[in-house]
């Protein structure tokens, strides 16, 4: 992986963010100034997923970002949650966006063994089963989600998913606590507001 190239990708995304909202500007500046910690093997890609999470909030979606890298750690897919904007699509979680993009653009790739997907927040049940089906070798989350995350309780999935995921690895990225905190806080920036929108769609 070219750390400088990955940083360029992230800086470009951050420069696309121009907001008057204090929380967004605060995290934009923190991420712009962040210094990678070489002691953590996943720090660079965890940072990029956090950058994409902030871009999700800026676009009025839930603050979750995701990055897919190949077996040489080159970024081959990136995206963020798009459930609410530009229009409502209940399936467009960050991981879904990245996999949709990658699979659509790489129909000739028969195996993603050796590929790794990073997500700023622990994957939900829907995304976890999609990731298992995709065959992505390793799935790493930056911040745990004890309320909505499925990775830490994947033993509760039906047995077929255990069989299919036997050769896959799921866990937390090896990154700094600063990035874990960033991903948690970015996710919370507009979560209550967007949760209300979902309840409104449900008639509450």
């Amino acid at each position: 992986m070219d750390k400088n190239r990955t940083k360029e990708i992230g800086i470009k995304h951050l420069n696309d963010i121009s907001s008057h909202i204090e929380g967004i500007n605060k995290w934009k500046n923190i991420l712009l100034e962040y210094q990678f910690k070489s002691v953590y093997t996943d720090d660079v890609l965890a940072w990029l997923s956090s950058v994409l999470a902030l871009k999700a909030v800026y676009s009025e979606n839930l603050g979750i970002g995701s990055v897919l890298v190949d077996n040489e750690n080159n970024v081959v897919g990136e995206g963020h949650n798009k459930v609410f904007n530009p229009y409502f699509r209940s399936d467009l979680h960050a991981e879904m966006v990245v996999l949709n993009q990658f699979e659509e653009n790489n129909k000739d790739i028969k195996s993603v063994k050796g590929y790794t997907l990073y997500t700023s927040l622990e994957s939900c049940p829907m995304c976890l089963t999609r990731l298992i089906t995709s065959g992505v070798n390793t799935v790493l989350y930056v911040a745990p989600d004890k309320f909505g995350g499925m990775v830490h309780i994947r033993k509760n999935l039906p047995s077929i998913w255990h069989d299919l995921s036997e050769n896959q690895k799921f866990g937390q990225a090896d990154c700094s606590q600063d990035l874990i905190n960033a991903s948690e806080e970015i996710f919370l920036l507009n979560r209550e507001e967007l949760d209300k929108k979902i309840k409104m769609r449900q008639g509450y």
Side-chain angles (χ1 to χ4, degrees):
M1 175 189 61
D2 185 339
K3 181 176 74 173
N4 292 329
R5 174 60 185 143
T6 304
K7 186 172 184 178
E8 286 176 8
I9 295 170
I11 295 297
K12 183 179 183 300
H13 284 303
L14 289 170
N15 286 337
D16 288 339
I17 297 173
S18 177
S19 175
H20 64 278
I21 298 174
E22 181 179 349
I24 292 177
N25 283 328
K26 168 192 167 184
W27 284 108
K28 175 183 177 179
N29 291 330
I30 289 172
L31 291 170
L32 279 170
E33 295 170 3
Y34 184 77
Q35 299 295 313
F36 298 132
K37 314 291 192 298
S38 59
V39 67
Y40 299 109
T41 57
D42 300 315
D43 220 48
V44 177
L45 291 162
W47 172 82
L48 182 56
S49 70
S50 299
V51 167
L52 290 161
L54 186 63
K55 197 167 185 181
V57 175
Y58 175 62
S59 64
E60 299 180 354
N61 290 292
L62 279 167
I64 305 172
S66 188
V67 182
L68 181 68
V69 299
D70 64 16
N71 51 17
E72 295 180 352
N73 272 339
N74 299 307
V75 174
V76 295
E78 54 182 284
H80 59 72
N81 184 286
K82 291 185 177 179
V83 168
F84 296 92
N85 279 309
Y87 54 89
F88 189 82
R89 271 285 302 268
S90 57
D91 63 320
L92 290 186
H93 290 199
E95 300 96 317
M96 296 287 198
V97 169
V98 171
L99 289 174
N100 289 348
Q101 173 198 92
F102 178 78
E103 291 170 359
E104 184 65 27
N105 294 334
N106 297 278
K107 297 183 179 72
D108 58 327
I109 293 181
K110 305 301 182 186
S111 172
V112 285
K113 183 178 181 180
Y115 284 59
T116 300
L117 184 135
Y118 291 84
T119 181
S120 63
L121 192 73
E122 182 180 351
S123 297
C124 73
M126 178 177 73
C127 291
L128 183 59
T129 54
R130 170 73 185 277
L131 287 161
I132 291 171
T133 304
S134 77
V136 171
N137 207 109
T138 304
V139 177
L140 301 174
Y141 60 84
V142 179
D145 182 1
K146 64 180 179 180
F147 299 108
M150 193 70 205
V151 175
H152 71 283
I153 53 170
R154 64 186 182 280
K155 66 180 183 297
N156 295 332
L157 288 170
S159 60
I160 183 61
W161 299 110
H162 292 279
D163 295 340
L164 290 172
S165 63
E166 185 177 3
N167 296 316
Q168 291 172 295
K169 174 187 173 185
F170 299 88
Q172 188 166 14
D174 180 34
C175 62
S176 74
Q177 186 63 48
D178 290 339
L179 289 178
I180 295 171
N181 294 342
S183 289
E184 290 176 341
E185 293 297 323
I186 289 168
F187 175 63
L188 294 174
L189 282 175
N190 61 352
R191 180 184 173 183
E192 287 189 9
E193 172 191 348
L194 296 180
D195 281 354
K196 288 177 183 177
K197 287 189 176 183
I198 291 177
K199 290 179 179 179
M200 287 176 64
R201 290 186 65 88
Q202 296 171 336
Y204 293 102

Short mmCIF file of all heavy atoms in Angstrom, two decimals, residues 35-97:
data_model
loop_
_atom_site.label_atom_id
_atom_site.label_comp_id
_atom_site.label_asym_id
_atom_site.label_seq_id
_atom_site.Cartn_x
_atom_site.Cartn_y
_atom_site.Cartn_z
N GLN A 35 -1.91 12.52 12.32
CA GLN A 35 -0.61 11.93 11.95
C GLN A 35 -0.70 10.41 12.11
O GLN A 35 -1.02 9.91 13.18
CB GLN A 35 0.51 12.48 12.85
CG GLN A 35 0.68 13.99 12.76
CD GLN A 35 1.14 14.43 11.38
OE1 GLN A 35 2.07 13.86 10.80
NE2 GLN A 35 0.48 15.45 10.83
N PHE A 36 -0.41 9.69 11.03
CA PHE A 36 -0.50 8.24 11.09
C PHE A 36 0.47 7.66 12.11
O PHE A 36 1.60 8.13 12.25
CB PHE A 36 -0.20 7.64 9.71
CG PHE A 36 -1.19 8.06 8.65
CD1 PHE A 36 -0.73 8.52 7.42
CD2 PHE A 36 -2.54 7.99 8.87
CE1 PHE A 36 -1.63 8.90 6.44
CE2 PHE A 36 -3.45 8.37 7.90
CZ PHE A 36 -2.99 8.83 6.68
N LYS A 37 0.01 6.64 12.81
CA LYS A 37 0.81 5.96 13.83
C LYS A 37 1.33 4.65 13.24
O LYS A 37 0.58 3.70 13.05
CB LYS A 37 -0.05 5.69 15.08
CG LYS A 37 -0.90 6.86 15.56
CD LYS A 37 -0.07 7.98 16.11
CE LYS A 37 -0.92 9.02 16.85
NZ LYS A 37 -1.92 9.71 16.02
N SER A 38 2.62 4.62 12.95
CA SER A 38 3.20 3.47 12.26
C SER A 38 3.15 2.19 13.10
O SER A 38 3.25 1.09 12.55
CB SER A 38 4.65 3.76 11.87
OG SER A 38 5.42 4.08 13.02
N VAL A 39 2.95 2.33 14.39
CA VAL A 39 2.88 1.15 15.25
C VAL A 39 1.61 0.35 14.99
O VAL A 39 1.52 -0.83 15.32
CB VAL A 39 2.96 1.57 16.74
CG1 VAL A 39 1.74 2.36 17.17
CG2 VAL A 39 3.17 0.36 17.63
N TYR A 40 0.61 0.99 14.36
CA TYR A 40 -0.66 0.31 14.07
C TYR A 40 -0.72 -0.04 12.57
O TYR A 40 -0.63 0.84 11.72
CB TYR A 40 -1.85 1.20 14.43
CG TYR A 40 -1.90 1.56 15.90
CD1 TYR A 40 -1.62 2.85 16.32
CD2 TYR A 40 -2.23 0.61 16.86
CE1 TYR A 40 -1.68 3.20 17.66
CE2 TYR A 40 -2.28 0.94 18.20
CZ TYR A 40 -2.00 2.23 18.60
OH TYR A 40 -2.05 2.57 19.93
N THR A 41 -0.90 -1.31 12.27
CA THR A 41 -0.83 -1.76 10.88
C THR A 41 -2.00 -1.26 10.02
O THR A 41 -1.86 -1.15 8.80
CB THR A 41 -0.81 -3.30 10.81
OG1 THR A 41 -1.97 -3.82 11.49
CG2 THR A 41 0.45 -3.85 11.47
N ASP A 42 -3.14 -0.94 10.63
CA ASP A 42 -4.32 -0.54 9.87
C ASP A 42 -4.64 0.94 9.99
O ASP A 42 -5.73 1.37 9.58
CB ASP A 42 -5.55 -1.36 10.33
CG ASP A 42 -5.37 -2.84 10.13
OD1 ASP A 42 -4.89 -3.24 9.05
OD2 ASP A 42 -5.71 -3.62 11.05
N ASP A 43 -3.74 1.72 10.53
CA ASP A 43 -4.05 3.12 10.84
C ASP A 43 -4.44 3.93 9.60
O ASP A 43 -5.39 4.71 9.64
CB ASP A 43 -2.85 3.80 11.52
CG ASP A 43 -3.27 4.72 12.65
OD1 ASP A 43 -4.09 4.30 13.49
OD2 ASP A 43 -2.78 5.87 12.70
N VAL A 44 -3.74 3.72 8.50
CA VAL A 44 -3.98 4.53 7.30
C VAL A 44 -5.37 4.25 6.72
O VAL A 44 -6.13 5.18 6.41
CB VAL A 44 -2.90 4.27 6.23
CG1 VAL A 44 -3.19 5.05 4.97
CG2 VAL A 44 -1.52 4.62 6.78
N LEU A 45 -5.72 2.99 6.59
CA LEU A 45 -7.01 2.65 6.00
C LEU A 45 -8.15 2.88 6.98
O LEU A 45 -9.28 3.19 6.56
CB LEU A 45 -6.97 1.21 5.50
CG LEU A 45 -6.05 1.06 4.29
CD1 LEU A 45 -5.66 -0.39 4.06
CD2 LEU A 45 -6.71 1.63 3.04
N ALA A 46 -7.88 2.77 8.27
CA ALA A 46 -8.89 3.14 9.26
C ALA A 46 -9.19 4.63 9.17
O ALA A 46 -10.35 5.06 9.26
CB ALA A 46 -8.41 2.76 10.66
N TRP A 47 -8.14 5.42 8.98
CA TRP A 47 -8.31 6.87 8.81
C TRP A 47 -9.16 7.17 7.58
O TRP A 47 -10.09 7.99 7.65
CB TRP A 47 -6.94 7.53 8.68
CG TRP A 47 -6.96 8.99 8.31
CD1 TRP A 47 -7.16 10.05 9.14
CD2 TRP A 47 -6.77 9.54 6.99
NE1 TRP A 47 -7.11 11.23 8.44
CE2 TRP A 47 -6.87 10.95 7.11
CE3 TRP A 47 -6.51 8.98 5.74
CZ2 TRP A 47 -6.72 11.80 6.02
CZ3 TRP A 47 -6.37 9.83 4.65
CH2 TRP A 47 -6.47 11.22 4.80
N LEU A 48 -8.88 6.51 6.47
CA LEU A 48 -9.64 6.76 5.25
C LEU A 48 -11.11 6.40 5.43
O LEU A 48 -12.00 7.12 4.95
CB LEU A 48 -9.04 5.99 4.08
CG LEU A 48 -9.71 6.21 2.72
CD1 LEU A 48 -9.74 7.68 2.34
CD2 LEU A 48 -9.00 5.39 1.63
N SER A 49 -11.40 5.33 6.12
CA SER A 49 -12.80 4.96 6.35
C SER A 49 -13.49 5.99 7.24
O SER A 49 -14.67 6.29 7.05
CB SER A 49 -12.92 3.55 6.95
OG SER A 49 -12.45 3.51 8.27
N SER A 50 -12.75 6.58 8.17
CA SER A 50 -13.31 7.64 9.02
C SER A 50 -13.57 8.91 8.21
O SER A 50 -14.57 9.62 8.42
CB SER A 50 -12.36 7.95 10.18
OG SER A 50 -12.16 6.82 11.00
N VAL A 51 -12.66 9.21 7.28
CA VAL A 51 -12.85 10.35 6.37
C VAL A 51 -14.14 10.17 5.57
O VAL A 51 -14.96 11.09 5.45
CB VAL A 51 -11.64 10.51 5.42
CG1 VAL A 51 -11.97 11.47 4.29
CG2 VAL A 51 -10.41 10.97 6.19
N LEU A 52 -14.34 8.97 5.05
CA LEU A 52 -15.54 8.69 4.26
C LEU A 52 -16.79 8.74 5.13
O LEU A 52 -17.87 9.14 4.66
CB LEU A 52 -15.41 7.33 3.58
CG LEU A 52 -14.38 7.30 2.45
CD1 LEU A 52 -13.96 5.88 2.13
CD2 LEU A 52 -14.94 7.98 1.19
N ALA A 53 -16.66 8.37 6.40
CA ALA A 53 -17.79 8.48 7.33
C ALA A 53 -18.20 9.93 7.50
O ALA A 53 -19.39 10.26 7.52
CB ALA A 53 -17.42 7.86 8.67
N LEU A 54 -17.21 10.81 7.61
CA LEU A 54 -17.53 12.23 7.74
C LEU A 54 -18.18 12.76 6.46
O LEU A 54 -19.11 13.58 6.52
CB LEU A 54 -16.26 13.03 8.06
CG LEU A 54 -16.49 14.52 8.36
CD1 LEU A 54 -17.34 14.69 9.61
CD2 LEU A 54 -15.16 15.24 8.52
N LYS A 55 -17.72 12.28 5.32
CA LYS A 55 -18.33 12.70 4.06
C LYS A 55 -19.79 12.23 4.00
O LYS A 55 -20.65 12.91 3.41
CB LYS A 55 -17.53 12.15 2.88
CG LYS A 55 -17.85 12.86 1.57
CD LYS A 55 -16.85 12.54 0.49
CE LYS A 55 -17.12 13.36 -0.77
NZ LYS A 55 -16.17 13.04 -1.86
N ALA A 56 -20.08 11.09 4.59
CA ALA A 56 -21.46 10.61 4.66
C ALA A 56 -22.33 11.59 5.45
O ALA A 56 -23.44 11.94 5.03
CB ALA A 56 -21.50 9.23 5.29
N VAL A 57 -21.84 12.02 6.59
CA VAL A 57 -22.59 12.99 7.40
C VAL A 57 -22.80 14.28 6.62
O VAL A 57 -23.89 14.86 6.62
CB VAL A 57 -21.86 13.27 8.74
CG1 VAL A 57 -22.59 14.36 9.53
CG2 VAL A 57 -21.75 12.01 9.57
N TYR A 58 -21.75 14.73 5.94
CA TYR A 58 -21.83 15.95 5.14
C TYR A 58 -22.92 15.84 4.07
O TYR A 58 -23.59 16.82 3.74
CB TYR A 58 -20.47 16.23 4.50
CG TYR A 58 -20.45 17.40 3.55
CD1 TYR A 58 -20.74 18.69 3.99
CD2 TYR A 58 -20.13 17.21 2.21
CE1 TYR A 58 -20.71 19.76 3.12
CE2 TYR A 58 -20.10 18.27 1.32
CZ TYR A 58 -20.39 19.55 1.78
OH TYR A 58 -20.38 20.61 0.91
N SER A 59 -23.10 14.64 3.52
CA SER A 59 -24.12 14.43 2.50
C SER A 59 -25.48 14.04 3.10
O SER A 59 -26.36 13.57 2.40
CB SER A 59 -23.68 13.35 1.51
OG SER A 59 -23.53 12.10 2.15
N GLU A 60 -25.61 14.22 4.43
CA GLU A 60 -26.85 13.99 5.17
C GLU A 60 -27.25 12.52 5.21
O GLU A 60 -28.42 12.16 5.16
CB GLU A 60 -27.99 14.85 4.60
CG GLU A 60 -27.69 16.35 4.69
CD GLU A 60 -28.80 17.21 4.13
OE1 GLU A 60 -29.78 16.66 3.56
OE2 GLU A 60 -28.71 18.44 4.27
N ASN A 61 -26.24 11.68 5.31
CA ASN A 61 -26.44 10.25 5.51
C ASN A 61 -25.79 9.84 6.83
O ASN A 61 -25.11 10.64 7.46
CB ASN A 61 -25.82 9.47 4.36
CG ASN A 61 -26.59 9.64 3.06
OD1 ASN A 61 -27.72 9.18 2.94
ND2 ASN A 61 -25.99 10.33 2.09
N LEU A 62 -26.03 8.59 7.24
CA LEU A 62 -25.41 8.10 8.46
C LEU A 62 -23.89 8.06 8.33
O LEU A 62 -23.36 7.67 7.27
CB LEU A 62 -25.93 6.71 8.81
CG LEU A 62 -27.30 6.66 9.51
CD1 LEU A 62 -27.83 5.24 9.50
CD2 LEU A 62 -27.19 7.17 10.94
N GLY A 63 -23.18 8.42 9.38
CA GLY A 63 -21.74 8.57 9.33
C GLY A 63 -20.97 7.28 9.38
O GLY A 63 -20.34 6.95 10.40
N ILE A 64 -20.98 6.56 8.27
CA ILE A 64 -20.23 5.31 8.16
C ILE A 64 -19.55 5.29 6.80
O ILE A 64 -20.18 5.55 5.77
CB ILE A 64 -21.12 4.07 8.30
CG1 ILE A 64 -21.91 4.13 9.62
CG2 ILE A 64 -20.28 2.79 8.25
CD1 ILE A 64 -22.96 3.06 9.76
N GLY A 65 -18.24 4.98 6.79
CA GLY A 65 -17.49 4.89 5.56
C GLY A 65 -16.83 3.53 5.43
O GLY A 65 -16.63 2.84 6.43
N SER A 66 -16.49 3.15 4.20
CA SER A 66 -15.93 1.83 3.97
C SER A 66 -14.92 1.87 2.83
O SER A 66 -15.06 2.66 1.89
CB SER A 66 -17.06 0.85 3.64
OG SER A 66 -16.60 -0.47 3.59
N VAL A 67 -13.90 1.01 2.93
CA VAL A 67 -12.83 0.94 1.95
C VAL A 67 -12.52 -0.53 1.65
O VAL A 67 -12.43 -1.35 2.58
CB VAL A 67 -11.54 1.61 2.48
CG1 VAL A 67 -10.44 1.56 1.42
CG2 VAL A 67 -11.80 3.04 2.92
N LEU A 68 -12.35 -0.86 0.38
CA LEU A 68 -11.96 -2.20 -0.03
C LEU A 68 -10.56 -2.15 -0.63
O LEU A 68 -10.28 -1.30 -1.48
CB LEU A 68 -12.95 -2.75 -1.05
CG LEU A 68 -12.68 -4.18 -1.56
CD1 LEU A 68 -12.90 -5.20 -0.44
CD2 LEU A 68 -13.61 -4.51 -2.75
N VAL A 69 -9.68 -3.05 -0.18
CA VAL A 69 -8.32 -3.12 -0.73
C VAL A 69 -8.06 -4.52 -1.24
O VAL A 69 -8.62 -5.50 -0.74
CB VAL A 69 -7.25 -2.72 0.32
CG1 VAL A 69 -7.46 -1.29 0.79
CG2 VAL A 69 -7.25 -3.67 1.50
N ASP A 70 -7.20 -4.61 -2.26
CA ASP A 70 -6.87 -5.92 -2.82
C ASP A 70 -5.75 -6.58 -2.03
O ASP A 70 -5.34 -6.09 -0.97
CB ASP A 70 -6.53 -5.80 -4.31
CG ASP A 70 -5.27 -4.96 -4.57
OD1 ASP A 70 -4.48 -4.71 -3.63
OD2 ASP A 70 -5.07 -4.55 -5.73
N ASN A 71 -5.22 -7.68 -2.57
CA ASN A 71 -4.22 -8.44 -1.80
C ASN A 71 -2.86 -7.76 -1.74
O ASN A 71 -1.94 -8.25 -1.09
CB ASN A 71 -4.08 -9.86 -2.36
CG ASN A 71 -3.86 -9.89 -3.86
OD1 ASN A 71 -3.50 -8.87 -4.46
ND2 ASN A 71 -4.07 -11.05 -4.45
N GLU A 72 -2.72 -6.60 -2.43
CA GLU A 72 -1.51 -5.79 -2.30
C GLU A 72 -1.80 -4.48 -1.56
O GLU A 72 -1.00 -3.55 -1.59
CB GLU A 72 -0.93 -5.50 -3.69
CG GLU A 72 -0.45 -6.76 -4.39
CD GLU A 72 0.14 -6.47 -5.77
OE1 GLU A 72 0.03 -5.31 -6.24
OE2 GLU A 72 0.74 -7.39 -6.36
N ASN A 73 -2.95 -4.43 -0.93
CA ASN A 73 -3.40 -3.28 -0.15
C ASN A 73 -3.62 -2.02 -0.99
O ASN A 73 -3.55 -0.90 -0.48
CB ASN A 73 -2.43 -2.96 1.00
CG ASN A 73 -2.77 -3.75 2.25
OD1 ASN A 73 -3.89 -4.22 2.42
ND2 ASN A 73 -1.80 -3.90 3.13
N ASN A 74 -3.91 -2.19 -2.28
CA ASN A 74 -4.31 -1.07 -3.10
C ASN A 74 -5.80 -0.81 -2.93
O ASN A 74 -6.59 -1.77 -2.90
CB ASN A 74 -4.03 -1.37 -4.59
CG ASN A 74 -2.56 -1.60 -4.85
OD1 ASN A 74 -1.73 -0.78 -4.51
ND2 ASN A 74 -2.24 -2.73 -5.47
N VAL A 75 -6.19 0.45 -2.80
CA VAL A 75 -7.61 0.78 -2.66
C VAL A 75 -8.31 0.51 -4.00
O VAL A 75 -7.98 1.08 -5.02
CB VAL A 75 -7.80 2.26 -2.26
CG1 VAL A 75 -9.28 2.63 -2.26
CG2 VAL A 75 -7.18 2.52 -0.89
N VAL A 76 -9.30 -0.40 -3.97
CA VAL A 76 -10.03 -0.76 -5.19
C VAL A 76 -11.51 -0.41 -5.08
O VAL A 76 -12.26 -0.61 -6.04
CB VAL A 76 -9.86 -2.26 -5.51
CG1 VAL A 76 -8.41 -2.57 -5.84
CG2 VAL A 76 -10.34 -3.14 -4.36
N GLY A 77 -11.92 0.10 -3.93
CA GLY A 77 -13.31 0.51 -3.75
C GLY A 77 -13.43 1.37 -2.51
O GLY A 77 -12.73 1.14 -1.52
N GLU A 78 -14.29 2.35 -2.57
CA GLU A 78 -14.51 3.22 -1.41
C GLU A 78 -15.91 3.79 -1.49
O GLU A 78 -16.49 3.93 -2.59
CB GLU A 78 -13.48 4.35 -1.39
CG GLU A 78 -13.44 5.14 -2.68
CD GLU A 78 -12.37 6.22 -2.65
OE1 GLU A 78 -12.62 7.24 -1.99
OE2 GLU A 78 -11.34 6.05 -3.32
N GLY A 79 -16.48 4.10 -0.36
CA GLY A 79 -17.82 4.66 -0.36
C GLY A 79 -18.30 4.95 1.05
O GLY A 79 -17.59 4.71 2.03
N HIS A 80 -19.51 5.45 1.13
CA HIS A 80 -20.10 5.74 2.44
C HIS A 80 -21.60 5.49 2.39
O HIS A 80 -22.18 5.27 1.32
CB HIS A 80 -19.80 7.18 2.86
CG HIS A 80 -20.29 8.23 1.92
ND1 HIS A 80 -21.63 8.54 1.77
CD2 HIS A 80 -19.63 9.04 1.07
CE1 HIS A 80 -21.78 9.51 0.89
NE2 HIS A 80 -20.57 9.82 0.43
N ASN A 81 -22.20 5.52 3.55
CA ASN A 81 -23.64 5.31 3.67
C ASN A 81 -24.40 6.29 2.76
O ASN A 81 -24.09 7.48 2.73
CB ASN A 81 -24.04 5.50 5.14
CG ASN A 81 -25.51 5.21 5.39
OD1 ASN A 81 -26.38 6.00 5.03
ND2 ASN A 81 -25.78 4.10 6.04
N LYS A 82 -25.40 5.77 2.02
CA LYS A 82 -26.23 6.61 1.14
C LYS A 82 -27.71 6.25 1.29
O LYS A 82 -28.47 6.31 0.32
CB LYS A 82 -25.79 6.43 -0.32
CG LYS A 82 -24.42 7.01 -0.64
CD LYS A 82 -24.11 6.90 -2.12
CE LYS A 82 -22.76 7.54 -2.45
NZ LYS A 82 -22.43 7.43 -3.88
N VAL A 83 -28.09 5.90 2.50
CA VAL A 83 -29.48 5.48 2.72
C VAL A 83 -30.47 6.62 2.48
O VAL A 83 -31.53 6.43 1.89
CB VAL A 83 -29.66 4.91 4.15
CG1 VAL A 83 -31.14 4.76 4.51
CG2 VAL A 83 -28.94 3.57 4.28
N PHE A 84 -30.11 7.84 2.90
CA PHE A 84 -31.07 8.94 2.89
C PHE A 84 -30.94 9.90 1.71
O PHE A 84 -31.92 10.49 1.28
CB PHE A 84 -30.96 9.74 4.20
CG PHE A 84 -31.33 8.93 5.41
CD1 PHE A 84 -30.36 8.22 6.11
CD2 PHE A 84 -32.64 8.84 5.83
CE1 PHE A 84 -30.70 7.45 7.21
CE2 PHE A 84 -32.99 8.08 6.94
CZ PHE A 84 -32.03 7.38 7.63
N ASN A 85 -29.76 10.08 1.20
CA ASN A 85 -29.53 11.01 0.10
C ASN A 85 -28.59 10.38 -0.93
O ASN A 85 -27.66 9.67 -0.54
CB ASN A 85 -28.91 12.32 0.62
CG ASN A 85 -29.95 13.24 1.18
OD1 ASN A 85 -30.97 13.52 0.56
ND2 ASN A 85 -29.71 13.72 2.39
N PRO A 86 -28.84 10.63 -2.22
CA PRO A 86 -29.71 11.65 -2.80
C PRO A 86 -31.19 11.31 -2.77
O PRO A 86 -32.04 12.17 -3.03
CB PRO A 86 -29.21 11.76 -4.24
CG PRO A 86 -28.63 10.42 -4.53
CD PRO A 86 -28.01 9.97 -3.25
N TYR A 87 -31.54 10.04 -2.48
CA TYR A 87 -32.94 9.65 -2.26
C TYR A 87 -32.90 8.42 -1.37
O TYR A 87 -31.85 7.80 -1.18
CB TYR A 87 -33.65 9.35 -3.60
CG TYR A 87 -32.94 8.32 -4.45
CD1 TYR A 87 -33.20 6.96 -4.31
CD2 TYR A 87 -31.99 8.73 -5.39
CE1 TYR A 87 -32.53 6.04 -5.08
CE2 TYR A 87 -31.31 7.80 -6.16
CZ TYR A 87 -31.59 6.45 -6.01
OH TYR A 87 -30.92 5.53 -6.77
N PHE A 88 -34.03 8.06 -0.79
CA PHE A 88 -34.04 6.99 0.19
C PHE A 88 -33.84 5.63 -0.47
O PHE A 88 -34.56 5.25 -1.37
CB PHE A 88 -35.35 6.98 0.97
CG PHE A 88 -35.33 6.04 2.15
CD1 PHE A 88 -34.77 6.42 3.35
CD2 PHE A 88 -35.85 4.76 2.04
CE1 PHE A 88 -34.72 5.55 4.43
CE2 PHE A 88 -35.82 3.88 3.12
CZ PHE A 88 -35.25 4.28 4.31
N ARG A 89 -32.80 4.92 0.00
CA ARG A 89 -32.52 3.55 -0.42
C ARG A 89 -32.09 2.78 0.82
O ARG A 89 -30.96 2.92 1.30
CB ARG A 89 -31.40 3.51 -1.46
CG ARG A 89 -31.84 3.65 -2.89
CD ARG A 89 -32.49 2.38 -3.44
NE ARG A 89 -31.61 1.23 -3.35
CZ ARG A 89 -30.78 0.85 -4.33
NH1 ARG A 89 -30.73 1.54 -5.44
NH2 ARG A 89 -30.04 -0.22 -4.18
N SER A 90 -32.99 1.97 1.33
CA SER A 90 -32.75 1.32 2.62
C SER A 90 -31.57 0.37 2.64
O SER A 90 -31.05 0.04 3.71
CB SER A 90 -34.02 0.58 3.06
OG SER A 90 -34.41 -0.36 2.07
N ASP A 91 -31.12 -0.07 1.46
CA ASP A 91 -30.03 -1.05 1.43
C ASP A 91 -28.64 -0.43 1.30
O ASP A 91 -27.64 -1.14 1.43
CB ASP A 91 -30.23 -2.00 0.24
CG ASP A 91 -30.18 -1.27 -1.10
OD1 ASP A 91 -30.73 -0.16 -1.19
OD2 ASP A 91 -29.61 -1.83 -2.06
N LEU A 92 -28.56 0.88 1.08
CA LEU A 92 -27.25 1.46 0.74
C LEU A 92 -26.42 1.84 1.97
O LEU A 92 -26.03 2.99 2.17
CB LEU A 92 -27.43 2.66 -0.20
CG LEU A 92 -27.89 2.30 -1.61
CD1 LEU A 92 -27.89 3.52 -2.50
CD2 LEU A 92 -27.03 1.19 -2.23
N HIS A 93 -26.11 0.82 2.77
CA HIS A 93 -25.13 0.99 3.84
C HIS A 93 -23.75 1.10 3.19
O HIS A 93 -23.57 0.75 2.03
CB HIS A 93 -25.17 -0.20 4.79
CG HIS A 93 -26.41 -0.25 5.62
ND1 HIS A 93 -26.50 -0.99 6.77
CD2 HIS A 93 -27.62 0.35 5.47
CE1 HIS A 93 -27.71 -0.86 7.31
NE2 HIS A 93 -28.41 -0.05 6.52
N ALA A 94 -22.78 1.59 3.95
CA ALA A 94 -21.45 1.85 3.37
C ALA A 94 -20.85 0.61 2.72
O ALA A 94 -20.31 0.67 1.60
CB ALA A 94 -20.51 2.39 4.45
N GLU A 95 -20.92 -0.52 3.40
CA GLU A 95 -20.34 -1.75 2.86
C GLU A 95 -21.05 -2.16 1.56
O GLU A 95 -20.42 -2.64 0.62
CB GLU A 95 -20.45 -2.89 3.88
CG GLU A 95 -19.72 -2.62 5.19
CD GLU A 95 -20.64 -2.06 6.26
OE1 GLU A 95 -21.46 -1.17 5.94
OE2 GLU A 95 -20.53 -2.50 7.42
N MET A 96 -22.37 -1.98 1.54
CA MET A 96 -23.16 -2.32 0.35
C MET A 96 -22.75 -1.44 -0.83
O MET A 96 -22.61 -1.94 -1.96
CB MET A 96 -24.65 -2.12 0.64
CG MET A 96 -25.19 -3.04 1.71
SD MET A 96 -25.33 -4.74 1.12
CE MET A 96 -26.45 -5.40 2.35
N VAL A 97 -22.57 -0.16 -0.57
CA VAL A 97 -22.18 0.77 -1.63
C VAL A 97 -20.85 0.33 -2.26
O VAL A 97 -20.71 0.29 -3.49
CB VAL A 97 -22.07 2.21 -1.08
CG1 VAL A 97 -21.42 3.14 -2.09
CG2 VAL A 97 -23.45 2.73 -0.70
#
